[in-house]
């Protein structure tokens, strides 16, 4: 069995800035050996789902704005930097950046956490369209949607750590 500290070091960043999820999964005996991407994803998501609403809100708030201030200043995690760059969010025109900024501000004001979407396989137009649609959601729907997107992001990050497996 992998030691707890090593497990948290390897998988504590799967949920953005939330190593407590990996810690709890390990402590609750959810980790099976040999480690497989799908089982690991399920174990971590189970901890996320059973966390309090405030804890899940903390995970949502740990995510950066898309094409926001942290991206501009180079302060994103390596995973977020790569994910946003893969979707072309590091190459926005001034008009596109202004639209993202306006939507980020509106979304944060309305929901209290940043807009979250698994950007892999999406282009900036796909993301912008989803952003514009979801900013009209009610708070309950958007909280559930954001949580589902966080789990999808976690799955993609785990899959990247286990080449040839899907989470």
């Amino acid at each position: 069995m992998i030691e707890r500290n090593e497990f948290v070091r390897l998988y504590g960043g799967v949920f953005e800035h939330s190593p407590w999820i990996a810690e709890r999964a390990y402590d609750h005996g959810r980790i099976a050996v040999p480690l497989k991407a799908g089982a690991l994803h399920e174990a971590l998501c189970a901890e996320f789902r059973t966390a309090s609403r405030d804890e899940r809100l903390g995970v949502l708030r740990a995510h950066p704005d898309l094409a926001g201030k942290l991206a501009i200043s180079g302060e994103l995690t390596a995973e977020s930097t790569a994910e946003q760059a893969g979707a072309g969010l590091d190459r926005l025109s001034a008009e596109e950046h202004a639209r993202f900024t306006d939507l980020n501000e509106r979304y944060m004001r309305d929901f209290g956490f940043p807009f979250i979407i698994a950007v892999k396989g999406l282009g900036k137009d796909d993301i912008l369209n989803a952003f514009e649609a979801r900013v009209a959601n009610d708070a309950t729907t958007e909280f559930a949607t954001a949580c589902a997107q966080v789990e999808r992001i976690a799955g993609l990050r785990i899959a990247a750590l286990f080449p040839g497996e899907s989470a």
Side-chain angles (χ1 to χ4, degrees):
M1 180 74 170
I2 187 171
E3 290 185 359
R4 183 181 191 271
N5 288 343
E6 181 66 3
F7 179 80
V8 173
R9 185 186 70 74
L10 292 171
Y11 307 111
V14 168
F15 282 79
E16 193 90 5
H17 297 295
S18 302
W20 61 266
I21 295 172
E23 291 167 351
R24 287 185 189 173
Y26 190 95
D27 293 345
H28 292 155
R30 294 187 190 271
I31 306 308
V33 289
L35 286 174
K36 297 285 188 188
L40 177 59
H41 185 240
E42 277 305 311
L44 296 178
C45 287
E47 290 300 333
F48 177 66
R49 291 176 195 142
T50 59
S52 71
R53 185 183 192 287
D54 284 345
E55 288 172 319
R56 287 180 286 137
L57 180 59
V59 173
L60 300 183
R61 288 179 173 162
H63 279 261
D65 289 342
L66 291 178
K69 295 173 198 160
L70 292 178
I72 293 167
S73 65
E75 296 179 45
L76 294 177
T77 63
E79 294 87 355
S80 289
T81 298
E83 291 159 0
Q84 290 197 27
L89 299 182
D90 60 339
R91 299 177 301 280
L92 297 176
S93 69
E95 291 165 349
E96 291 167 330
H97 188 267
R99 185 67 184 135
F100 270 96
T101 299
D102 289 344
L103 285 166
N104 279 326
E105 290 171 2
R106 179 176 166 201
Y107 189 96
M108 181 62 87
R109 182 187 66 241
D110 291 352
F111 299 111
F113 54 87
F115 176 76
I116 301 166
I117 188 167
V119 299
K120 185 170 181 156
L122 301 177
K124 58 187 174 184
D125 292 333
D126 302 315
I127 297 164
L128 194 56
N129 290 336
F131 209 154
E132 290 173 336
R134 285 177 47 196
V135 78
N137 282 343
D138 63 85
T140 301
T141 299
E142 195 51 31
F143 185 83
T145 301
C147 286
Q149 287 296 308
V150 163
E151 290 186 18
R152 180 163 162 65
I153 292 165
L156 292 167
R157 289 178 177 179
I158 290 169
L161 298 171
F162 288 81
E165 292 185 41
S166 61

